[in-house]
Amino acid sequence: MAIKVTRAETNVSSNSSERERLEREISKLCRYIGRSPWVFHVNSGSCNGCDIEIIAALTPRYDAERFGVKLVGTPRHADILLVTGPVTDQSLERVKLVYEQTPDPKVVIAVGACPTGGSVFFESPFTNAPLDKHIPVDVFVPGCPPRPEAILYGVVLGLQKLIERIEGGKR
């Protein structure tokens, strides 16, 4: 079952208390799983608005890297896939390949309005949105583009799903 970040959660104010709450939650989850979550970003034909916000979440203002949340260069090292874009015909097979190359347990986060429902590309003959028709999506982060706080909150929800999968594998 996929989790969707609600509209109220995407309009998070950029005050320090909300940012500090997210920071505490990420560090708690990272300590629980005993390692840092690594993220691989897949652009499936986006306008780069969401991509810029993902990078903003890693910059010093939000600084997700201090908790170990970092972008990796290959899906073979990733725990979390961040997918942006409306999933064009050209990128569909690549997205599926990247999903298969990511080791289990993994979490997929659809970032932005395009992979969630197609946005302005809805019912275009050249796109294949929503993403969950093709690969399992665990967390949807809506917005065009979503704010960095919303992306970090999506990562927190993804980490919670990852912990559930790790615990499920131990039994």
Side-chain angles (χ1 to χ4, degrees):
M1 182 177 127
I3 299 171
K4 185 166 183 166
V5 177
T6 64
R7 209 25 112 171
E9 292 162 341
T10 61
N11 292 329
V12 174
S13 65
S14 59
N15 64 22
S16 61
S17 64
E18 182 61 29
R19 194 167 53 238
E20 290 169 359
R21 188 188 67 76
L22 284 172
E23 291 168 358
R24 284 193 305 273
E25 188 69 22
I26 290 172
S27 63
K28 181 182 84 171
L29 292 168
C30 290
R31 279 193 307 271
Y32 181 80
I33 62 175
R35 59 188 168 89
S36 299
W38 287 4
V39 174
F40 185 75
H41 172 236
V42 181
N43 181 330
S44 63
S46 75
C47 69
N48 295 329
C50 296
D51 308 332
I52 292 168
E53 297 300 319
I54 289 170
I55 298 303
L58 298 171
T59 60
R61 180 174 173 110
Y62 301 97
D63 202 13
E65 286 189 4
R66 78 181 125 159
F67 306 112
V69 178
K70 73 173 220 171
L71 291 175
V72 291
T74 174
R76 290 184 172 92
H77 295 149
D79 302 305
I80 299 172
L81 292 178
L82 293 178
V83 184
T84 60
V87 192
T88 62
D89 289 339
Q90 291 178 333
S91 67
L92 178 60
E93 291 305 315
R94 290 179 186 96
V95 169
K96 289 179 180 177
L97 180 65
V98 166
Y99 178 80
E100 291 168 4
Q101 290 176 344
T102 306
D104 288 326
K106 61 186 158 215
V107 172
V108 178
I109 301 175
V111 178
C114 291
T116 301
S119 187
V120 297
F121 305 105
F122 181 69
E123 293 185 347
S124 168
F126 306 108
T127 62
N128 300 288
L131 179 64
D132 61 349
K133 288 194 316 189
H134 307 287
I135 62 173
V137 176
D138 300 297
V139 179
F140 292 93
V141 181
C144 188
R147 295 182 49 85
E149 296 98 337
I151 295 169
L152 288 176
Y153 185 70
V155 170
V156 167
L157 294 175
L159 284 170
Q160 291 170 347
K161 290 283 251 181
L162 187 64
I163 288 171
E164 290 173 12
R165 295 211 174 116
I166 291 170
E167 287 177 343
K170 289 181 182 175
R171 292 179 189 160

